[in-house]
Amino acid sequence: PSSSPMDAPCAVFRGVPVSEVLQERQRAVVSFDVDDNTDTAVTALQRQGFLSAPVYDGGECVGLLDVLDCVHFALSVEDSATEIDDESWRNFAVQMSFSLQRVGKVVGISKRNPFCPVKLRDPLSSVMELFAKGIHRVCVVDDTGKKVTHLITQSDLCTYIVQHAVHLGPIATATVQELDVMQREVVCAPPQMTALEVFRKIDEVNVSGVALVAEDGTPIGNLSASDLAGFLEEDLPLLNLPAIEFLRHIREKQGRANHFFVSCEPSTEFISLVRTMCQNRVHRCFVVDDKKGLAGVVSMTDVFRILLAL
């Protein structure tokens, strides 16, 4: 993109087509049919390390099967099996429910990532507008509007922004505090709460991640939907571990053993904040004060909101 220093960020990207991001961030698309078994679909998703995939009915995409849909469904099965005292039997009940349920009955039940199609020639600003509303991924469709050819995630677009930071002008070096981009209310949980209960909190409060905070107020971890990437059926017992232990197991499996908690300060520059999230493969960065206490959080959704607002 070309710009002058006075251009607003959204105006800069209004002239850039969606296709330009795809040239730099190619993403294979796994898809399912509404009549596929949910357990088969989830296994395929997790073995690929994806968090969502389009679902088709008669050759037309009808939605995205998202990992949070699967969490919502699993929690509903768990709730209905509360009379079963044995953990292993409850896990078995969840596994059987996934094997018996069709994808068409699970897709979209969390209402977290609806099907939002865009086309190759659409401007990136239209994708930014969707991301600013809390949508985490959009589908690039062909001219018929029925077939999904690519997925673009918030991370993809943030990476593109970092690579083209020169076009942001003075906003790039403005601080978190100056831009007032931080959310001061942070959803938290104690690290000893089971991972299952933390994911229940994520589902009920309608957030994508929860900060794990010690008794003295020190933030020590972050559990989010992304931690379910690569989560397989045999990992189900891990959900009954304390959240911090679950996090340790999952991050080691993902090759991110040291990425428990990603933070910045109010004085951190905007572009450094976005770069930190991209480099650590996280969707939120916690803001800590000079005493290392939790002051707030900035998500990728907040990043797009501020770019649209300025």
Side-chain angles (χ1 to χ4, degrees):
S2 61
S3 66
S4 71
M6 297 304 293
D7 282 335
C10 188
V12 172
F13 295 107
R14 191 168 287 123
V16 181
V18 166
S19 57
E20 185 163 327
V21 173
L22 297 182
Q23 291 170 12
E24 301 184 20
R25 301 287 294 177
Q26 295 297 325
R27 181 176 297 272
V29 177
V30 175
S31 62
F32 307 111
D33 188 86
V34 290
D35 290 324
D36 288 340
N37 285 340
T38 301
D39 65 337
T40 303
V42 170
T43 299
L45 265 184
Q46 305 301 54
R47 292 198 183 281
Q48 294 284 345
F50 292 163
L51 294 175
S52 64
V55 176
Y56 288 87
D57 184 5
E60 182 174 355
C61 183
V62 293
L64 286 176
L65 178 66
D66 189 86
V67 66
L68 288 174
D69 293 333
C70 300
V71 168
H72 186 93
F73 177 69
L75 288 172
S76 67
V77 175
E78 243 275 339
D79 288 342
S80 65
T82 51
E83 70 278 3
I84 303 175
D85 294 329
D86 190 280
E87 273 181 15
S88 60
W89 278 105
R90 285 203 302 274
N91 290 338
F92 178 72
V94 172
Q95 292 172 12
M96 286 300 296
S97 297
F98 271 98
S99 66
L100 294 172
Q101 188 63 274
R102 296 186 307 116
V103 168
K105 295 293 186 180
V106 178
V107 61
I109 61 172
S110 69
K111 299 180 181 179
R112 303 294 285 277
N113 276 298
F115 176 51
C116 296
V118 297
K119 295 185 177 179
L120 288 173
R121 59 182 174 272
D122 289 345
L124 278 186
S125 56
S126 64
V127 177
M128 291 173 63
E129 289 167 2
L130 290 169
F131 287 163
K133 295 176 181 177
I135 302 298
H136 280 226
R137 54 194 60 85
V138 300
C139 298
V140 181
V141 296
D142 62 10
D143 287 338
T144 69
K146 296 180 178 180
K147 182 179 179 181
V148 176
T149 59
H150 299 83
L151 293 180
I152 298 179
T153 67
Q154 286 188 335
S155 297
D156 291 334
L157 193 44
C158 278
T159 298
Y160 180 87
I161 288 170
V162 169
Q163 292 169 344
H164 299 83
V166 65
H167 301 292
L168 293 179
I171 294 164
T173 54
T175 68
V176 169
Q177 187 171 25
E178 290 169 345
L179 292 174
D180 194 25
V181 67
M182 178 182 76
Q183 299 287 332
R184 289 171 174 77
E185 292 187 12
V186 184
V187 180
C188 304
Q192 295 308 309
M193 179 182 282
T194 68
L196 182 65
E197 289 308 308
V198 176
F199 281 117
R200 185 185 301 280
K201 194 166 190 173
I202 287 173
D203 183 60
E204 291 175 348
V205 184
N206 198 30
V207 293
S208 297
V210 169
L212 303 179
V213 180
E215 288 185 9
D216 63 0
T218 304
I220 59 174
N222 169 55
L223 195 61
S224 72
S226 298
D227 291 309
L228 293 174
F231 187 85
L232 298 172
E233 191 173 284
E234 56 261 32
D235 295 322
L236 271 174
L238 296 178
L239 290 171
N240 296 303
L241 292 175
I244 195 67
E245 294 300 320
F246 172 88
L247 199 58
R248 185 171 293 113
H249 281 282
I250 292 300
R251 294 290 170 89
E252 287 177 358
K253 182 177 179 179
Q254 294 175 343
R256 299 195 296 154
N258 297 321
H259 296 176
F260 270 36
F261 186 80
V262 178
S263 65
C264 67
E265 299 175 350
S267 60
T268 300
E269 293 182 349
F270 179 74
I271 197 61
S272 296
L273 163 72
V274 181
R275 185 181 295 111
T276 295
M277 287 194 280
C278 292
Q279 290 175 342
N280 289 280
R281 291 185 287 166
V282 296
H283 286 83
R284 65 199 54 77
C285 186
F286 293 94
V287 184
V288 294
D289 57 28
D290 54 4
K291 296 181 181 179
K292 301 303 178 184
L294 189 59
V297 64
V298 181
S299 68
M300 286 187 173
T301 296
D302 297 320
V303 167
F304 293 110
R305 284 174 181 160
I306 202 70
L307 288 175
L308 288 171
L310 295 172

